[in-house]
Amino acid sequence: MKNKIVLGVTGGIAAYKAADIARRIMELGCAVQVVMTKNAEAFIGPLTFEALTGNKVLRAGLPAPGEDSMPHITLQREACIVLVAPATANIIGKFANGIADDSLSTFLLACNAQVIMAPAMNTMMYENKAVQKNIATLKERGVIIVGPAVGMLACGDEGAGKLSPVEDIVTAVEEALKIKRDFANLNVIVTAGGTREPVDAVRFIGNSSSGKMGFSVAEALKRRGAKVTLIAGATEVKPPDDIKIVNVKTAEEMRLETMSCFDNADILIMAAAVGDYRVMEAENRKVKKSGQWNITLVENPDILMEVSKRKRGQIVIGFAAETENTLENGKEKLLKKNMDMIVINDVSRKDTGFASDYNEITILTRAGELTRHGKALKSELAEIILDNAVKLLKNGKNEKDKKRA
Ligand code: C5P
């Protein structure tokens, strides 16, 4: 069966370009179903789209007697991507704020598929804080925003707000078709980076974690449809855009934030390098230099150990950074901390691991499955980690189904 792309057309001058977009998407081998707003019909007739796509256009009003009474639900089951092009400030605002007052806005709320929007409007409108906020909200929820382009607008103004070139919009659809959406609607907590334990007002005990692995996992999850909460300690790299981030410093802060989200999570991925020790009594002032300084360290609580006692069907994935006996030590941690899967890496190597863009990992599951993955970019390994996590999700679901039967 062909992939079905729902093409939402809203009321802007660029609406006529949607006909070309529909044709080009069909050339990718997809079926196109057009949903139009009432205002769009002032710019281009539904008949054009029906002739091009071979499918009856879903129009703004309520269905007539005898027609499918819930077309937004039927369509939601069939759609694999929703593209809104052109997207006016109005539809962007409605979708960002949960308003459903016609076929397209109702369908958008009911739909689980990847949404792509190509905004087109006057520059002043585009730059309006309300519109910018709505676009930021949508991006944070995983909507892909294409453009707008900068140029001469239909109203005679010059600036940002022009519908992106048709090629760019079609490329975005093509790219989105490649993305797996196997984490759609799952709540996932990812921890990343290293914790810092204060010694005095200016000094701390930290570690070499860069945050790159955790950030790569969070980005991959977001792409694959998850609702991600990223709990980040100290990191060397810029955190990913459009992901909800909770910044923490100490292991205790990370513990509190993780535990407060855990009950509502489906998956926890603990990629953070949590400090094992903290200073028993950190000084509030800067300690003056005066000879030897003895500091007593006490053990931090282990977040995964605490999580293991609160588990209610969540998938828990931990990491192990080891310098020797990597597999044995990793296996021991997996069992001790009641994880479902552990990602083990050898941090004694200079070319992979901490701070590097590369890693080399061994994945071990509770069921005893072991897979080794040679040196690869952390972004590639993040996808592999998620491919393995998905198998655990499916197994968990199958087990639940079996118990129910
Ligand atoms: O025992 P080790 O620190 O090597 O275990 C590593 C795993 O445990 C990582 O997933 C790390 O995020 C987690 N961890 C934790 N709480 C700690 C220390 C580590 O959850 N206090």
Side-chain angles (χ1 to χ4, degrees), residues 36 41 44-57 59:
M36 293 179 81
E41 291 195 27
I44 183 165
L47 217 53
T48 306
F49 292 114
E50 292 193 359
L52 276 173
T53 65
N55 286 320
K56 197 165 176 343
V57 168
R59 298 171 67 180

Side-chain angles (χ1 to χ4, degrees), residues 270 272 274-276 301-304 318-319 322 333 337:
M270 282 290 302
V274 188
D276 291 324
D302 193 292
I303 304 172
L304 279 178
F319 280 66
E322 303 292 340
K333 279 175 194 167
K337 303 193 188 192

Side-chain angles (χ1 to χ4, degrees), residues 133-372:
K133 185 167 178 282
N134 289 334
I135 290 179
T137 303
L138 292 180
K139 278 188 182 171
E140 200 181 302
R141 288 187 203 143
V143 174
I144 297 170
I145 304 286
V146 186
V150 176
M152 182 63 86
L153 305 176
C155 55
D157 286 353
E158 198 167 349
K162 211 174 152 62
L163 185 74
S164 273
V166 170
E167 299 73 49
D168 293 0
I169 297 170
V170 176
T171 303
V173 172
E174 220 172 347
E175 287 302 312
L177 279 169
K178 292 181 202 154
I179 301 172
K180 295 178 204 158
R181 300 283 297 169
D182 43 4
F183 285 80
N185 284 334
L186 291 172
N187 282 317
V188 187
I189 311 170
V190 180
T191 66
T195 56
R196 287 180 171 182
E197 305 301 330
V199 175
D200 70 4
V202 293
R203 302 176 177 98
F204 58 82
I205 299 174
N207 58 56
S208 320
S209 171
S210 64
K212 284 181 187 169
M213 192 68 239
F215 285 178
S216 295
V217 169
E219 275 174 330
L221 277 164
K222 182 79 197 264
R223 266 197 306 279
R224 289 165 76 157
K227 293 182 200 147
V228 186
T229 302
L230 179 56
I231 303 176
T235 56
E236 275 173 24
V237 288
K238 192 179 151 296
D241 289 330
D242 310 323
I243 289 184
K244 182 178 159 197
I245 299 190
V246 181
N247 290 302
V248 294
K249 283 203 177 77
T250 63
E252 178 58 10
E253 284 171 20
M254 185 166 278
R255 183 186 76 83
L256 287 173
E257 294 296 345
T258 307
M259 296 320 292
S260 82
C261 311
F262 184 68
D263 290 343
N264 287 327
D266 298 291
I267 305 171
L268 167 66
I269 304 184
M270 282 290 302
V274 188
D276 291 324
Y277 290 92
R278 69 176 181 279
V279 177
M280 190 154 79
E281 278 177 55
E283 300 273 355
N284 290 327
R285 60 187 179 103
K286 182 184 173 193
V287 173
K288 290 276 176 223
K289 189 164 55 173
S290 67
Q292 189 171 321
W293 180 9
N294 292 324
I295 297 169
T296 307
L297 300 179
V298 289
E299 225 176 293
N300 270 328
D302 193 292
I303 304 172
L304 279 178
M305 284 299 264
E306 195 171 331
V307 156
S308 71
K309 293 180 198 128
R310 282 256 290 266
K311 256 172 110 174
R312 297 272 180 282
Q314 292 98 329
I315 301 287
V316 174
I317 300 171
F319 280 66
E322 303 292 340
T323 52
E324 54 199 356
N325 295 334
T326 45
L327 189 56
E328 294 75 29
N329 289 342
K331 190 172 176 188
E332 199 186 311
K333 279 175 194 167
L334 170 89
L335 299 174
K336 193 167 104 194
K337 303 193 188 192
N338 191 20
M339 304 177 201
D340 298 285
M341 185 172 112
I342 191 161
V343 181
I344 310 165
N345 54 73
D346 182 347
V347 288
S348 63
R349 294 182 49 160
K350 288 274 166 288
D351 56 338
T352 60
F354 277 156
S356 166
D357 285 337
Y358 292 87
N359 217 352
E360 193 171 319
I361 58 170
T362 302
I363 295 179
L364 183 62
T365 68
R366 214 173 161 71
E369 281 169 54
L370 184 136
T371 42
R372 288 181 202 277

Side-chain angles (χ1 to χ4, degrees), residues 67-138:
E67 282 180 1
D68 180 355
S69 58
M70 282 186 269
H72 56 292
I73 303 297
T74 312
L75 205 52
Q76 160 253 317
R77 293 191 182 123
E78 296 169 353
C80 68
I81 285 173
V82 184
L83 166 67
V84 184
T88 54
N90 189 35
I91 194 70
I92 289 169
K94 283 198 229 176
F95 189 32
N97 293 286
I99 295 168
D101 65 353
D102 67 357
S103 300
L104 181 59
S105 51
T106 308
F107 164 72
L108 279 167
L109 290 195
C111 190
N112 208 359
Q114 174 68 59
V115 177
I116 305 173
M117 287 186 146
M121 65 198 79
N122 166 272
T123 307
M124 296 292 275
M125 289 173 77
Y126 176 65
E127 286 171 357
N128 185 293
K129 283 198 177 116
V131 175
Q132 286 300 314
K133 185 167 178 282
N134 289 334
I135 290 179
T137 303
L138 292 180

